[in-house]
């Protein structure tokens, strides 16, 4: 009976897990489908003359299908002569269907690309991961800048990538593999770099076949179209002089970067050749090593990144290889595993100006972000080999003990674990920058019009008069008539809005990582809630209300008859006033300082910031009093959501019993949330993968037991291997606090 009961419950549990996996997969495929439909609709709803602009070089009045002279006479066509020869039938179908067939065909290519990439994931991949990887891959491709660019322009750059993936990862025959890679190289010459990769990984027949296919296609094109072949290969040096200017930001190659730095002539050409040779040597060497290690998809991605860097021109629609490089595993700790994929996804989905501020010192970095990512992947990023004991079993992340909470039964709580370790600095900086860029963009577009904003302002003013708190006009004129007060509040309003919150976050990151996560999450929630207010309740500040007599002490007199209010409107949304994040962020600073500061004078000093801020926003006529109440509301809601998801803020051992001390009667490991005496799996070195593209299964794992004494638990390091660095060792209580 006991066995039968266990079997029934086990089967029920498996059925429940399978049902949950099926639902998750269905939701992810739905998301991918929505993104695909949205992308197709964004293209097809454009007027005929504005959509698929590069496709017009094929099907327009002077396009490939109708041109009587050279393909390159119009100065718009940038493909190889072979591409012009073999892709005409596809262009003809696009011409007959006004781009619909072309767009739907591109959708199918993207889906096929995602499916092939998902099937080639390296290492020990669970059934859950394999089932969910395909829709996630398709969704990421749909969101990436190269695919979006290919859709909007009507480019063919997805075809060579798909041909290479099929030839290196799916087709097993040497001849078929080489044929596909060779055709891809004939369409995009930089793809010929995959022939050396095939040779270095032991697939020499495929390498020879790919080079022969490329040569045959090129020779055939020379025979059929000698003038065009001469123009492309000789006059324009393999297409380097075609299309947009090579020094434009769209060209993310080493050649383009050097031209943007001001180098030109023989010096620039010589430097390009030297750098290209170094990148090819290092990149192909690393790619071959990872291919032999069984990480075939990563090897393909790295070779593609080499091709991006060394090509004379690497336009945005040709950068898909960088996105594929996110499959590499970096870091021995579980908490660091998402850093590299997150960086790659941000680089491939967002423009550089969203990731880096517009500072003169950062302009060279911001203008070359995709190129830097490609070079890093090809030559520098330390991807783990499958023989590493941490490839499938990284050092586990340290979590705090669950804290009792009245919200403990809320379904979201189990998925929001409180980490004690310090988050990755690069990822945090990127998250803050991208989050602020998104906040600024939403704030700028969240405008309901001047009439609506002024009507809402009259509503706020009426409510304040009814409550007897309409003090804005009196305070504004009193300060404007007192020059030292006006100067002080103008300076305070414009100077400390960002400095103090960032300073507090920086101090918490360095000194109190667990509290940093708590504070950062509450601030993020408050800011998101404020964006909801900006979107649904546009509000004119007092300084932009005609006939009320307010003085704009910060910006000077405004022409209230001009709906744009001058150039300031182009920089920020003038009607994003409710709630006031000037006061909200300052109140957040005050709460964090009061809660965490160890001394009374620090807490009192922390309270001065929200006090001065509310005086400044009212005195300068930038906010109503109720705006400050709205800011306080979203900050309170931010702290409440953090409490709802993560429980109440935990008292760490250092705060409870002194530096590095656990509470009385509690072992140090238990106080830190570390299980004592629990078996810990220790992975043994995996077997080396077979020749490219086989070898996707990892090796077996051994099992050990953690010590119950004062020694810190962690994975046993095999003989002859180095131990993880200091960050990989579990922190003590004093370090955490």
């Amino acid at each position: 009976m006991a066995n039968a009961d266990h079997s029934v419950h086990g089967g029920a549990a498996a059925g429940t897990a399978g049902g949950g996996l099926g639902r998750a997969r269905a939701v992810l495929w739905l998301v991918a489908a929505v993104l695909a439909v949205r992308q197709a609709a964004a293209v097809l709803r454009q007027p005929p003359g504005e959509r698929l602009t590069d496709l017009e070089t094929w099907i327009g009045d002077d396009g490939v299908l109708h041109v009587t002279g050279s393909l390159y006479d119009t100065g718009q066509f940038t493909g190889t002569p072979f591409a012009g020869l073999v892709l005409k039938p596809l262009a003809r179908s696009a011409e007959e269907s006004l781009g619909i067939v072309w767009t739907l065909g591109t959708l199918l290519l993207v889906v096929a690309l995602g499916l092939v990439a998902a099937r080639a994931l390296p290492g020990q991949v669970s059934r859950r991961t394999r089932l969910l990887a395909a829709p996630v891959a398709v969704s990421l491709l749909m969101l990436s800048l190269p695919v979006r660019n290919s859709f909007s322009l009507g480019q063919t750059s997805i075809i060579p990538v798909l041909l290479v993936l099929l030839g290196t990862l799916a087709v097993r025959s040497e001849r078929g593999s080489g044929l596909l890679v060779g055709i891809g190289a004939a369409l995009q010459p930089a793809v010929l770099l995959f022939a050396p990769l095939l040779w270095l990984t032991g697939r020499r027949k495929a390498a020879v076949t790919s080079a022969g296919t490329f040569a045959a296609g090129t020779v055939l094109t020379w025979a059929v179209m000698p003038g065009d072949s001469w123009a492309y290969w000789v006059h324009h040096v393999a297409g380097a002089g075609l299309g947009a200017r090579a020094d434009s930001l769209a060209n993310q190659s080493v050649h383009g970067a050097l031209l943007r730095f001001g180098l030109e002539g023989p010096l620039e050409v010589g430097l390009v050749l030297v750098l290209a040779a170094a990148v090819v040597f290092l990149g192909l060497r690393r790619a071959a090593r990872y291919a032999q290690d069984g990480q075939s998809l990563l090897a393909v991605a790295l070779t593609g990144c080499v091709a991006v860097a060394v090509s004379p021109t690497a336009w945005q629609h040709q950068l898909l290889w960088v996105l594929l490089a996110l499959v590499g595993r970096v870091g021995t700790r579980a908490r660091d595993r998402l850093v590299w994929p997150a960086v790659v996804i941000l680089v491939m989905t967002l423009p550089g100006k969203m990731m880096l501020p517009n500072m003169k010192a950062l302009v060279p970095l911001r203008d070359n972000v995709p190129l830097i990512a490609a070079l890093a992947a090809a030559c520098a990023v330390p991807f783990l080999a499958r023989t590493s004991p941490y490839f499938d079993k990284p050092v586990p992340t340290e979590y705090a003990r669950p804290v009792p909470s009245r919200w403990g039964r809320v379904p979201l709580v189990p998925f929001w674990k409180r980490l004690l370790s310090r988050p990755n600095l690069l990822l945090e900086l990127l998250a803050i920058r991208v989050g602020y860029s998104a906040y600024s963009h939403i704030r700028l577009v969240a405008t309901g019009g001047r009439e609506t904003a002024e009507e809402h302002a009259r509503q706020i003013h009426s409510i304040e008069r009814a409550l007897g708190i309409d003090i804005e006009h009196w305070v504004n004129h009193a300060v404007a008539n007192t020059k030292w007060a006006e100067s002080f509040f103008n300076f305070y309003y414009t100077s400390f809005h960002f400095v103090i919150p960032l300073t507090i976050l920086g101090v918490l990151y360095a000194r109190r990582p667990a509290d940093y996560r708590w504070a950062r999450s509450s601030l993020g929630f408050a800011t998101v809630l404020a964006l909801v207010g900006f979107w649904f309740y546009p509000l004119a500040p007092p300084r932009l209300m005609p006939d009320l007599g307010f003085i704009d002490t910060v910006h000077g007199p405004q022409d209230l008859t001009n709906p744009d209010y001058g150039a300031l409107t182009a920089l920020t949304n003038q009607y994003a006033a409710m709630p006031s994040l000037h006061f909200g962020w300052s109140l957040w600073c005050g709460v964090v300082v009061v809660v965490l500061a160890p001394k009374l004078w620090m807490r009192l000093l922390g309270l001065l910031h929200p006090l001065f801020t509310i005086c400044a926003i009212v005195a300068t006529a930038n906010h109503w009093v109720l705006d400050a109440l709205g800011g306080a509301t979203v900050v309170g809601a931010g702290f409440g959501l953090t409490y709802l998801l993560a429980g109440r803020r935990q008292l760490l051992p250092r705060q409870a019993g002194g530096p590095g001390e656990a509470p009385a009667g509690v072992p140090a490991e238990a106080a830190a949330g570390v299980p004592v005496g629990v078996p810990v799996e220790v992975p043994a070195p995996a077997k080396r993968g077979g020749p490219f593209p086989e070898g996707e299964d990892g090796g077996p794992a051994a099992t050990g037991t953690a010590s119950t004494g004062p020694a810190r638990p962690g994975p046993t390091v095999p003989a002859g291997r180095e131990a993880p660095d200091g960050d990989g060792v579990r922190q003590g209580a004093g370090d955490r606090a």
Side-chain angles (χ1 to χ4, degrees):
M1 288 292 293
N3 291 339
D5 182 69
H6 177 77
S7 176
V8 170
H9 285 288
T16 302
L21 181 61
R23 287 191 294 271
R25 189 185 186 196
V27 170
L28 289 175
W29 273 118
L30 178 62
V31 171
V34 170
L35 292 174
V37 172
R38 179 182 178 276
Q39 187 61 57
V43 173
L44 296 178
R45 70 186 177 193
Q46 294 292 328
E50 299 178 11
R51 68 186 183 196
L52 305 173
T53 52
D54 282 6
L55 188 61
E56 289 295 321
T57 63
W58 295 84
I59 64 176
D61 293 338
D62 297 323
V64 174
L65 297 179
H66 307 115
V67 68
T68 56
S70 172
L71 296 173
Y72 308 102
D73 285 344
T74 62
Q76 296 179 341
F77 181 67
T78 60
T80 64
F82 181 82
L85 180 66
V86 302
L87 295 179
K88 281 188 177 183
L90 294 178
R92 181 167 289 107
S93 67
E95 179 186 38
E96 295 171 353
S97 57
L98 299 178
I100 296 177
V101 171
W102 189 276
T103 302
L104 296 180
T106 304
L107 282 177
L108 294 177
L109 291 176
V110 173
V111 173
L113 196 64
L115 292 175
V116 174
R119 288 175 59 88
L121 293 178
Q124 296 179 351
V125 179
S126 65
R127 176 176 175 270
R128 176 191 298 270
T129 301
R130 288 198 180 277
L131 290 176
L132 301 182
V136 171
V138 173
S139 298
L140 289 178
L141 288 170
M142 290 295 177
L143 290 172
S144 67
L145 290 173
V147 169
R148 283 153 48 193
N149 192 267
S150 296
F151 269 107
S152 61
L153 298 179
Q155 274 289 347
T156 62
S157 55
I158 297 176
I159 297 177
V161 178
L162 182 58
L163 289 174
V164 169
L165 289 184
L166 290 174
T168 55
L169 303 176
V171 177
R172 297 294 176 176
S173 69
E174 296 286 287
R175 181 171 298 177
S177 177
L179 183 64
L180 291 175
V181 174
I183 294 174
L187 295 173
Q188 196 175 105
V191 172
L192 192 60
L193 283 172
F194 284 91
L197 176 66
L198 292 171
W199 182 275
L200 292 173
T201 53
R203 304 181 66 183
R204 299 190 174 184
K205 290 183 179 179
V208 173
T209 303
S210 62
T213 302
F214 168 78
T218 304
V219 169
L220 174 64
T221 310
W222 271 92
V224 177
M225 309 165 64
D228 289 332
S229 297
W230 175 270
Y232 181 86
W233 292 107
V234 179
H235 181 68
H236 291 294
V237 191
L242 297 174
R245 289 174 53 91
D247 61 349
S248 67
L249 294 180
N251 179 17
Q252 289 294 312
S253 68
V254 171
H255 175 54
L258 292 179
L259 291 176
R260 287 191 289 274
F261 283 130
L263 297 176
E264 58 183 13
L267 175 63
E268 191 270 336
V269 173
L271 190 56
V272 166
L273 294 177
V274 172
L275 293 177
V279 172
V280 169
F281 175 78
L282 293 175
L284 289 183
R285 184 181 178 186
R286 279 164 49 90
R289 185 167 67 248
Y290 288 117
Q292 293 168 348
D293 187 58
Q295 301 187 64
S296 305
L297 181 58
L298 178 60
V300 171
L302 297 189
T303 307
C305 289
V306 173
V308 168
V310 304
S311 298
T313 53
W315 308 118
Q316 189 178 79
H317 54 82
Q318 299 171 333
L319 304 181
L320 261 179
W321 306 110
V322 182
L323 181 63
L324 296 177
L326 65 83
V327 299
R329 302 186 186 183
V330 183
T332 60
R333 298 164 295 192
R335 65 185 178 91
D336 293 334
R337 282 295 171 86
L338 292 179
V339 176
W340 171 249
V343 170
V344 172
I345 291 172
L346 290 176
V347 169
M348 287 293 98
T349 56
L350 300 176
K353 63 182 180 182
M354 286 192 67
M355 290 179 290
L356 295 170
N358 188 20
M359 299 171 58
K360 186 176 181 180
L362 297 178
V363 168
L365 183 64
R366 188 189 66 179
D367 291 347
N368 300 286
V369 167
L371 171 62
I372 293 171
L375 289 173
C379 304
V381 177
F383 299 108
L384 289 177
R386 293 179 64 204
T387 53
S388 168
Y390 304 105
F391 186 83
D392 289 313
K393 299 289 184 181
V395 177
T397 302
E398 182 182 10
Y399 296 101
R401 288 181 300 169
V403 180
S405 169
R406 69 182 61 185
W407 304 101
R409 295 188 178 182
V410 176
L412 286 177
V413 171
F415 301 97
W416 193 285
K417 298 180 180 179
R418 297 191 69 244
L419 280 74
L420 295 178
S421 56
R422 184 174 289 107
N424 184 275
L425 180 60
L426 174 61
L427 198 57
E428 288 296 301
L429 293 176
L430 282 175
I432 291 174
R433 171 60 191 174
V434 172
Y436 178 71
S437 297
Y439 157 77
S440 301
H441 177 73
I442 296 175
R443 175 185 167 119
L444 185 62
V445 301
T447 175
R450 178 179 179 180
E451 294 182 359
T452 302
E454 290 181 355
E455 177 60 29
H456 290 164
R458 285 188 283 269
Q459 294 174 4
I460 294 294
H461 193 220
S462 299
I463 295 174
E464 289 188 354
R465 292 179 61 185
L467 297 175
I469 58 173
D470 56 328
I471 61 173
E472 294 89 355
H473 190 276
W474 174 78
V475 173
N476 175 239
H477 280 258
V479 169
N481 293 327
T482 308
K483 294 305 179 184
W484 68 266
E486 179 182 3
S487 299
F488 172 77
F489 285 121
N490 286 350
F491 172 77
Y492 205 92
Y493 178 83
T494 57
S495 301
F496 296 106
H497 182 44
F498 298 105
V499 173
I500 294 182
L502 290 177
T503 301
I504 290 176
L505 287 175
V507 171
L508 291 180
Y509 180 87
R511 305 277 298 180
R512 309 278 285 273
D515 288 325
Y516 166 82
R517 295 178 183 273
W518 164 75
R520 178 252 282 148
S521 298
S522 59
L523 181 63
F525 284 134
T527 304
V528 171
L529 293 174
L531 288 176
V532 177
F534 298 158
W535 190 277
F536 289 102
Y537 198 79
L539 175 67
R543 63 183 178 84
L544 295 183
M545 284 298 292
D547 304 327
L548 292 185
F550 285 96
I551 301 173
D552 189 343
T553 63
V554 176
H555 308 103
Q558 298 289 313
D559 181 9
L560 299 183
T561 62
N562 179 10
D564 291 335
Y565 300 124
L568 193 63
T569 305
L571 301 177
T572 183
N573 181 4
Q574 303 294 288
Y575 302 136
M578 171 62 81
S580 169
L581 279 186
H582 249 87
F583 178 71
W585 287 2
S586 68
L587 180 62
W588 172 87
C589 295
V591 171
V592 171
V593 171
V594 168
V595 171
L596 300 180
K599 299 183 181 298
L600 178 61
W601 68 267
M602 295 179 181
R603 299 171 188 170
L604 295 177
L605 186 63
L607 291 177
L608 291 179
H609 180 47
L611 177 62
F612 285 156
T613 300
I614 191 172
C615 294
I617 63 175
V618 173
T620 58
N622 276 281
H623 285 283
W624 307 92
V625 172
L626 288 181
D627 296 346
L629 180 60
T633 301
V634 296
V635 168
F639 283 112
L641 283 173
T642 305
Y643 174 78
L644 175 68
L645 296 173
R648 66 179 174 84
R649 189 182 146 270
Q650 187 180 19
L651 193 64
L652 297 177
R654 180 177 178 179
Q655 297 164 285
E661 298 178 6
V666 181
E669 287 84 358
V674 181
V676 179
V678 178
V680 179
E681 291 186 359
V682 182
K687 298 178 181 178
R688 292 191 67 85
F692 177 80
E694 285 105 6
E696 295 182 358
D697 296 329
T703 302
T705 303
S707 170
T708 58
R712 295 167 179 170
T716 303
V717 181
R721 295 195 177 276
E722 296 181 359
D725 55 29
D727 291 337
V729 180
R730 195 176 302 279
Q731 292 177 319
D735 295 332
R736 291 193 304 273

